[in-house]
Amino acid sequence: MRTFCIANQKGGVGKTTTTVNLAAGLAQLGQRVLLVDLDPQGNATMGSGIDKRALPLSVYDVLLESASVAEARQRSPSGGFDVLGANRDLAGAEVELVALERRNERLRDALAAASADHDFVLIDCPPSLSLLTLNGLCSANGVFVPMQCEYFALEGLSDLVNTIKQVHANLNRHLIIIGLLRVMFDPRITLQQQVSDQLSKHFGEKVFNTIIPRNVRLAEAPSYGQPGLVFDPSSKGAQAYLEFAREMLTRLGPERAGESPAAI
Ligand code: ADP
Ligand code: MG
């Protein structure tokens, strides 16, 4: 089982869209995927076709150890992957966790118990560097950072990189940044092209080759409770996410070990 966080403390940068569509893409490529929604907004849950208001059990119950992953997960009806859903209850977990033992490692422990069931776990992180995000980072082998190619895109990145370095040093020595994913890309905008080139120059191999274009079908899909990949498989956005899933499988190859996040 390999576990990845999709993280960026900025909101609206495409974390949830990336998580849901990568989950669907990996599932289409024959992988057994569990999506973990760690955002109390529950957008990844809804976007996977599961009603966040009607969850019998959620990631909240798992974090508080009142349910196992196997008990709380549900199948995305159209996506072909499992979902550990979230809703507003999760906002309370933040406060409740503070007082508990192993508060950073709760998700990791719970996922470990279900590790035989999934090839990939993808964790959709909230737009903050909170205790929930820490639980995600402590559980993960690596981080994907979706980014828009805008002028200030790099500014927020240093906070995330510092957090990842700290988690690497203190809590999870397996954690590395797998790569930066350029999303919502519009090649007609010169500035986006320039920032994209700068990213490649600066971060080299850590930038995924696949670029996700701005594509309205990806934005429409969640209101139908479907991943974009299912909603309109022939759309440019869906094709790009499927390509990204392929790139990820090729790039990861055998288990990586011993890499340091200092590379970024
Ligand atoms: P985050 O999880 O980082 O807050 P989202 O994935 O929810 O970001 O994306 C923010 C908004 O942008 C959503 O309305 C989503 O539908 C839209 N969006 C995301 N990716 C794309 C894309 N490639 N093309 C068009 N719209 C997109
Ligand atoms: Mg989100």
Side-chain angles (χ1 to χ4, degrees):
M1 180 179 81
R2 287 189 270 199
T3 305
F4 300 104
C5 280
I6 292 74
N8 187 328
Q9 75 276 23
K10 283 194 179 182
V13 293
K15 291 182 290 296
T16 298
T17 306
T18 296
T19 313
V20 169
N21 285 288
L22 181 58
L26 288 170
Q28 285 188 11
L29 298 173
Q31 304 297 307
R32 298 170 308 157
V33 182
L34 173 69
L35 183 158
V36 179
D37 191 351
L38 264 191
D39 189 336
Q41 290 184 70
N43 292 345
T45 304
M46 297 295 280
S48 302
I50 294 166
D51 186 355
K52 66 180 177 183
R53 289 154 303 208
L55 289 175
L57 292 166
S58 72
V59 69
Y60 170 83
D61 300 285
V62 170
L63 286 169
L64 294 181
E65 291 181 345
S66 55
S68 68
V69 170
E71 288 164 341
R73 72 188 166 207
Q74 290 188 43
R75 192 78 173 163
S76 162
S78 67
F81 53 88
D82 289 336
V83 178
L84 192 50
N87 55 30
R88 288 177 57 191
D89 292 348
L90 190 56
E94 187 86 43
V95 180
E96 292 169 63
L97 281 171
V98 172
L100 300 178
E101 271 177 45
R102 292 182 65 75
R103 59 184 179 197
N104 296 315
E105 287 94 358
R106 297 204 145 221
L107 183 62
R108 170 160 81 193
D109 295 346
L111 288 171
S115 65
D117 300 343
H118 317 109
D119 302 312
F120 287 95
V121 177
L122 302 177
I123 304 174
D124 185 25
C125 289
S128 61
L129 300 174
S130 60
L131 203 46
L132 291 171
T133 300
L134 270 184
N135 262 274
L137 293 175
C138 280
S139 311
N141 306 106
V143 184
F144 295 152
V145 186
M147 294 183 66
Q148 286 174 260
C149 291
E150 287 172 348
Y151 190 63
F152 291 114
L154 287 172
E155 288 221 328
L157 199 59
S158 58
D159 288 343
L160 180 64
V161 170
N162 283 333
T163 304
I164 289 169
K165 282 184 178 164
Q166 278 180 27
V167 172
H168 181 267
N170 300 307
L171 296 166
N172 176 7
R173 63 186 176 77
H174 301 294
L175 190 68
I176 59 168
I177 290 186
I178 306 289
L180 309 179
L181 176 66
R182 293 164 283 184
V183 298
M184 298 191 222
F185 188 72
D186 185 345
R188 293 165 304 182
I189 300 176
T190 313
L191 178 65
Q192 291 208 4
Q193 197 68 60
Q194 287 169 350
V195 173
S196 170
D197 292 346
Q198 272 175 8
L199 277 178
S200 299
K201 224 181 267 168
H202 223 82
F203 297 107
E205 283 240 307
K206 289 276 176 186
V207 181
F208 288 106
N209 293 329
T210 309
I211 298 178
I212 310 298
R214 183 171 284 283
N215 180 246
V216 69
R217 304 299 271 169
L218 289 173
E220 289 167 352
S223 58
Y224 295 85
Q226 291 182 346
L229 239 84
V230 174
F231 177 62
D232 186 354
S234 64
S235 64
K236 286 217 162 81
Q239 294 285 317
Y241 271 114
L242 186 59
E243 185 53 37
F244 177 49
R246 282 202 197 93
E247 180 182 358
M248 192 186 138
L249 284 182
T250 311
R251 190 186 271 239
L252 290 173
E255 295 279 1
R256 288 156 164 247
E259 254 191 79
S260 146
I264 190 163

